[in-house]
């Protein structure tokens, strides 16, 4: 059995996600806001985040991104495996991510999406590991900064397991 140590409890996550939702509601004008969830890790965060928003014009879209190589680090080679099926031109777009690690995935994705001329393009991530950054990314909403540890739960996986944990846990040996 792998060792799991709770880093952020379900209660702490709930409270922080509510604060992030309030901030997002306050920052965006009335009208459509497109949340683009990056599969698969961000689906739990997305599901909780949208329910904290008061507006009735939140739209949800999904994108698949793969960075080659599995295990605990991304290799630096990124590609879109599932694209949006609508235009985001002229729209307010908020990318919803589970975690920013090296920054390789998001710096690639923001370049791809910016070319489609959204009205605005920002990033909301539940977790950020700033020590690991290799490529700079401008993240507007960060839930928690965490140390350089591999974490699972609340949507995040290790080899597809552990996504169902309600807390964020450090995965030991
Ligand atoms: P980046 O391109 O290195 O920033 O990697 C981002 C992606 O790597 C995230 O969307 C996750 O899928 C994965 N990742 C990075 N760190 C962790 C972690 O600690 N646990 C689970 N997945 C992680
Ligand atoms: Mg991810």
């Amino acid at each position: 059995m792998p060792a799991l140590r709770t880093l952020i409890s379900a209660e702490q996550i709930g409270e922080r996600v509510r604060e992030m939702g309030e901030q997002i509601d306050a920052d965006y004008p009335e009208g459509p806001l497109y949340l683009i969830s990056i599969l698969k890790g961000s689906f739990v965060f997305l599901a909780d985040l949208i329910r904290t928003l008061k507006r009735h014009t939140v739209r949800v879209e999904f994108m698949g991104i793969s960075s080659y190589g599995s295990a605990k680090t991304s290799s630096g080679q990124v590609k879109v495996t599932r694209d949006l099926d609508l235009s985001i031109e002229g729209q307010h777009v908020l990318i919803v991510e589970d975690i920013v690690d090296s920054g390789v995935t998001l710096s690639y994705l923001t370049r791809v999406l910016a070319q489609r001329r959204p009205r605005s393009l920002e990033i909301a991530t539940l977790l950020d590991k700033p020590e690991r950054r290799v490529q700079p990314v401008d993240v507007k909403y960060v839930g928690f900064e965490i140390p350089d540890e591999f974490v699972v739960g609340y949507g995040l996986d290790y080899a597809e397991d552990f996504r169902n944990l309600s807390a964020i846990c450090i995965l030991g040996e």
Side-chain angles (χ1 to χ4, degrees), residues 40 69-73 150-153 155-163 171:
K40 304 172 195 168
S70 55
K72 293 184 178 179
T73 51
F150 196 84
V151 292
V152 295
L156 289 102
D157 73 305
Y158 174 61
E160 298 300 326
D161 289 338
F162 306 108
R163 294 192 197 274
L171 182 65

Side-chain angles (χ1 to χ4, degrees), residues 4 8 12 20 82 105 108 112 117 135 150 152 159 170:
L4 292 170
I8 308 169
Q12 289 173 299
M20 294 174 85
R82 184 203 192 283
T105 307
Y108 170 80
V112 168
R117 303 171 170 280
Q135 289 191 20
F150 196 84
V152 295
I170 294 173

Side-chain angles (χ1 to χ4, degrees), residues 42-152:
S42 68
F43 80 101
V44 178
F45 175 42
L46 174 82
D48 282 346
L49 184 66
I50 56 167
R51 286 177 290 173
T52 69
L53 299 177
K54 300 280 186 284
R55 66 189 56 236
H56 294 161
T57 50
V58 191
R59 305 194 176 163
V60 173
E61 299 292 333
F62 295 92
M63 275 185 92
I65 304 285
S66 83
S67 44
Y68 295 101
S70 55
K72 293 184 178 179
T73 51
S74 57
S75 65
Q77 284 242 47
V78 188
K79 78 170 183 184
V80 174
T81 55
R82 184 203 192 283
D83 206 342
L84 301 174
D85 37 36
L86 56 81
S87 165
I88 55 167
E89 189 170 345
Q91 303 294 344
H92 289 292
V93 172
L94 181 59
I95 298 171
V96 177
E97 237 317 13
D98 50 0
I99 186 165
V100 188
D101 185 35
S102 69
V104 170
T105 307
L106 279 175
S107 73
Y108 170 80
L109 186 63
T110 47
R111 256 179 287 128
V112 168
L113 294 181
Q115 285 168 0
R116 302 180 187 180
R117 303 171 170 280
R119 179 147 174 208
S120 69
L121 180 63
E122 301 289 352
I123 298 167
T125 187
L126 181 70
L127 304 174
D128 183 10
K129 286 189 206 170
E131 285 169 51
R132 300 255 311 162
R133 202 72 89 255
V134 173
Q135 289 191 20
V137 253
D138 193 5
V139 184
K140 185 159 187 192
Y141 306 98
V142 176
F144 301 91
E145 286 196 357
I146 63 167
D148 181 8
E149 300 270 12
F150 196 84
V151 292
V152 295

